[in-house]
Amino acid sequence: MLGDFINRCLILVLGYAYPGFECYKTVEKNRVDIEELRFWCKYWIIVALFTVLEKFADIFLSWLPMYGEMKLVFFVYMWYPKTKGTGYIYETVLRPYVSKHENDIDRTLLEWKARAWDYVLYYWQYCAQSGHSAFVQALHQLASQSTRIIAGPATQKNEIHDQNGTEMTSKQSSFQMKQSSSLSKSKKWPPSPPSSPNSSMEETTKSQTEEEEEAWEPIEEGEDEQSSVSVKDRISRARARLRRLDTQNSRSPRTQQ
């Protein structure tokens, strides 16, 4: 890590700072040397292209040993007075390739420029529309909040009135439920009425009618089930039962008196 940091610092100093200062001195001379100025222009062209290509080369070649030191040596090789590799690289590699594909490069640059301008306009319009919609929504929210603040006391009173109304209706409904439950209980379990002489009379009459029915029912059933019994025996039994009923009827008014 320390070696990499030192190497980067040396590249910045020897590859950018020192050549920049030398280029400044050539420009500020009283008599500008055209050849020297052209040399530094070629140097900065090569450095610009190398910086662009370096970002992609670092992905695939950074694992090589002495990779950073090789870049440092390349920068020094280009501007060192005895070597001056800038002229050689420019004349043998860069100039023939660029002069051959110059028209294509200009065409692609114009297309990229037009596309970039279209994208800028598109995103500018999109941002303007989204900003306008957001501004309108913010205004609507502020207006709604202001109306709520203004209508706050009235709404609170209405809410309190609604709450009171709901409480009253709930109380009334609970009271009605209680009344209905009490009425249902009273219907299911009625109180027993006090005994009276009329009820005793009704009971005696019911018993008489039941006995009469019992007296006649065996006769009818006997005709179907016991065919061997004679008619005289049936008549005598019925008369005896009727006599019993007469005696009971004669006794019942005496007991009531």
Side-chain angles (χ1 to χ4, degrees):
M1 293 295 291
L2 184 60
D4 190 11
F5 177 73
I6 294 169
N7 190 15
R8 288 178 181 275
C9 292
L10 289 174
I11 288 170
L12 290 173
V13 173
L14 298 176
Y16 294 93
Y18 178 75
F21 181 69
E22 291 293 330
C23 185
Y24 171 78
K25 288 194 296 182
T26 56
V27 171
E28 293 297 328
K29 284 181 180 180
N30 293 326
R31 293 179 180 180
V32 178
D33 190 359
I34 301 300
E35 292 296 329
E36 191 175 0
L37 187 60
R38 288 185 66 185
F39 171 79
W40 287 114
C41 289
K42 293 175 184 179
Y43 174 82
W44 289 117
I45 291 168
I46 294 168
V47 168
L49 292 173
F50 179 79
T51 304
V52 173
L53 296 174
E54 181 187 10
K55 303 300 180 183
F56 299 98
D58 289 340
I59 299 170
F60 303 101
L61 302 175
S62 60
W63 57 272
L64 291 173
M66 305 295 289
Y67 177 70
E69 287 78 4
M70 290 168 64
K71 289 193 290 185
L72 179 60
V73 170
F74 176 74
F75 279 108
V76 174
Y77 166 76
M78 284 194 298
W79 62 260
Y80 191 66
K82 290 183 179 181
T83 57
K84 287 190 177 182
T86 302
Y88 177 77
I89 294 169
Y90 185 84
E91 295 294 336
T92 58
V93 178
L94 185 62
R95 184 178 178 180
Y97 181 80
V98 174
S99 62
K100 185 178 180 180
H101 300 283
E102 186 175 0
N103 294 325
D104 296 332
I105 293 168
D106 290 334
R107 192 180 298 110
T108 53
L109 288 173
L110 289 173
E111 289 178 358
W112 289 356
K113 190 184 292 184
R115 288 180 182 178
W117 185 249
D118 293 335
Y119 280 119
V120 168
L121 290 175
Y122 173 75
Y123 284 111
W124 177 260
Q125 291 176 358
Y126 178 76
C127 292
Q129 290 177 359
S130 62
H132 179 70
S133 62
F135 181 71
V136 171
Q137 289 179 359
L139 289 176
H140 284 299
Q141 289 180 357
L142 289 173
S144 63
Q145 288 179 359
S146 62
T147 52
R148 288 177 183 176
I149 291 167
I150 292 167
T155 54
Q156 288 179 358
K157 288 181 181 179
N158 292 325
E159 289 178 356
I160 292 166
H161 183 69
D162 294 333
Q163 290 178 358
N164 293 326
T166 53
E167 289 178 357
M168 290 294 291
T169 53
S170 63
K171 288 180 181 179
Q172 289 177 359
S173 62
S174 62
F175 181 72
Q176 290 176 359
M177 290 290 289
K178 289 180 181 178
Q179 285 184 349
S180 62
S181 62
S182 62
L183 289 171
S184 62
K185 288 180 181 179
S186 63
K187 287 179 181 179
K188 288 180 180 179
W189 296 284
S192 60
S195 61
S196 62
N198 294 322
S199 63
S200 62
M201 288 290 291
E202 290 176 355
E203 288 178 355
T204 53
T205 54
K206 286 180 180 179
S207 62
Q208 289 176 1
T209 54
E210 288 177 355
E211 288 178 355
E212 288 176 357
E213 289 176 355
E214 290 178 355
W216 288 102
E217 283 177 357
I219 296 170
E220 293 176 355
E221 292 177 354
E223 290 177 356
D224 295 331
E225 294 177 355
Q226 296 178 357
S227 59
S228 60
V229 180
S230 62
V231 177
K232 292 182 180 180
D233 293 333
R234 294 176 184 173
I235 293 168
S236 62
R237 289 178 184 176
R239 287 178 180 176
R241 288 177 181 175
L242 289 171
R243 288 174 185 173
R244 290 178 185 175
L245 290 172
D246 291 335
T247 55
Q248 287 179 359
N249 289 325
S250 62
R251 289 177 184 178
S252 60
R254 291 177 183 177
T255 57
Q256 289 175 1
Q257 291 176 359

